[in-house]
Amino acid sequence: MAIRIKTPEQIEGIRQSSILAARTLKFLEPHVQPGVRTADLDALCEQFIRDHGAIPATKGYHGFPASCCISPNEVICHGIPGAYVLKEGDIVNIDVTTILNGYYGDTCRMFSVGKVSDYAERLMKTTRECLRIGMQQCFPDNFLGNIGYHINLHAVAHGYSVVFEFCGHGVGLSFHEEPEVSHIAPKNSGPKLKPGMIFTIEPMINAGKARAKVDKKDGWTARTIDGKLSAQYEHTILITEEGCEALTDVFGDF
Ligand code: MF3
Ligand code: CO
Ligand code: CO
């Protein structure tokens, strides 16, 4: 299967779904507070998505049990909302994927729970910069691999490491389409970008070692092997004639 070039009608559908995914994160923001259970955030997330005529894509996806992924502190991604209670100083990722009229939008961001350490702030800031640096490589006829090439350079320059076991992905008509978007790649590698391609960039940046280990009991939760912090931000990106447009960048807050 080749990388799909989306039609104008498909792009409009994916845009509407992406806007809803972004609005879901905005809706959750004031609820991310010390003392809240991640399962309660998930319930709010599901209600908001369904109230807007959409479906949470993660629910039942390969058996994933929740409407979003919630990944605190050393959890890299795919955290299952549950009994964990957020506490002052935590950093937490919430990843929302919506299906609206059959179209997918996918975005995630970090939230600070109360006041967090400068160490955690710096990791989140560099991870936001990595996403933006990846987006700067999104223009027609550039190589896909240059996204990961430049993300990795930036992360390493700040003393961090890039998770290589999870990637961005084509998105829009289904959850995970071609291409796979690695956040660490050789310069000028991979296919060339073309207008109408839609994929995510979602760098996961670790304060310590790059390696991830998946929880043996739940089969989902991916943590850093050294227990150090990890951060992630994600946008759904459309390649345009001029460059790119982040369809989930509705509020401009990351
Ligand atoms: N939203 C995640 C992504 O950015 C995927 C979550 S899959 C799940 O690709 F099954 F863990 F929910
Ligand atoms: Co994604
Ligand atoms: Co996502």
Side-chain angles (χ1 to χ4, degrees):
M1 259 292 276
I3 304 172
R4 299 189 69 146
I5 302 297
K6 272 77 175 185
T7 66
E9 187 189 334
Q10 291 167 341
I11 291 168
E12 188 48 34
I14 297 163
R15 182 190 303 283
Q16 292 310 318
S17 191
S18 295
I19 291 169
L20 180 59
R23 287 182 60 204
T24 306
L25 288 177
K26 188 50 101 185
F27 161 74
L28 289 172
E29 186 170 17
H31 297 281
V32 183
Q33 296 292 342
V36 75
R37 269 174 8 132
T38 54
D40 297 334
L41 293 174
D42 183 61
L44 288 166
C45 175
E46 175 158 18
Q47 195 61 51
F48 187 87
I49 290 171
R50 294 196 190 278
D51 283 349
H52 290 82
I55 300 165
T58 55
K59 193 115 192 197
Y61 181 76
H62 294 286
F64 191 82
S67 295
C68 59
C69 299
I70 304 187
S71 305
N73 300 323
E74 80 289 356
V75 180
I76 296 169
C77 63
H78 302 169
I80 302 175
Y84 183 76
V85 176
L86 296 179
K87 61 178 193 307
E88 179 90 17
D90 282 351
I91 59 169
V92 62
N93 180 277
I94 305 182
D95 190 335
V96 169
T97 312
T98 47
I99 312 173
L100 180 65
N101 302 319
Y103 297 110
Y104 291 69
D106 189 5
T107 181
C108 79
R109 58 161 289 187
M110 302 301 296
F111 296 91
S112 298
V113 183
K115 174 124 186 64
V116 307
S117 67
D118 290 348
Y119 173 82
E121 286 287 2
R122 276 200 302 276
L123 175 66
M124 293 190 291
K125 177 169 185 277
T126 302
T127 308
R128 285 193 296 276
E129 289 165 358
C130 283
L131 173 55
R132 291 289 159 185
I133 283 165
M135 287 164 57
Q136 283 168 11
Q137 293 301 316
C138 290
F139 51 86
D141 293 324
N142 193 17
F143 292 96
L144 178 72
N146 287 340
I147 296 170
Y149 177 74
H150 286 278
I151 286 173
N152 182 60
L153 281 185
H154 189 67
V156 167
H158 287 265
Y160 299 135
S161 63
V162 177
V163 173
F164 55 87
E165 285 137 310
F166 302 97
C167 296
H169 49 93
V171 69
L173 307 181
S174 57
F175 201 161
H176 293 103
E177 306 175 8
E178 282 188 49
E180 192 167 89
V181 182
S182 176
H183 303 106
I184 168 169
K187 196 179 166 103
N188 295 340
S189 63
K192 283 187 174 176
L193 303 179
K194 298 292 174 193
M197 288 182 177
I198 298 182
F199 53 79
T200 71
I201 302 177
E202 48 182 297
M204 287 145 274
I205 305 298
N206 292 353
K209 293 194 169 73
R211 275 288 307 283
K213 64 167 189 293
V214 174
D215 190 294
K216 283 208 180 65
K217 273 183 251 140
D218 69 28
W220 284 104
T221 312
R223 295 187 180 83
T224 58
I225 50 165
D226 52 14
K228 293 190 177 173
L229 294 180
S230 184
Q232 182 182 25
Y233 290 84
E234 173 178 30
H235 276 315
T236 292
I237 309 289
L238 165 69
I239 304 297
T240 62
E241 300 288 343
E242 294 79 33
C244 75
E245 197 185 328
L247 300 179
T248 45
D249 190 8
V250 175
F251 301 102
D253 47 5
F254 61 93

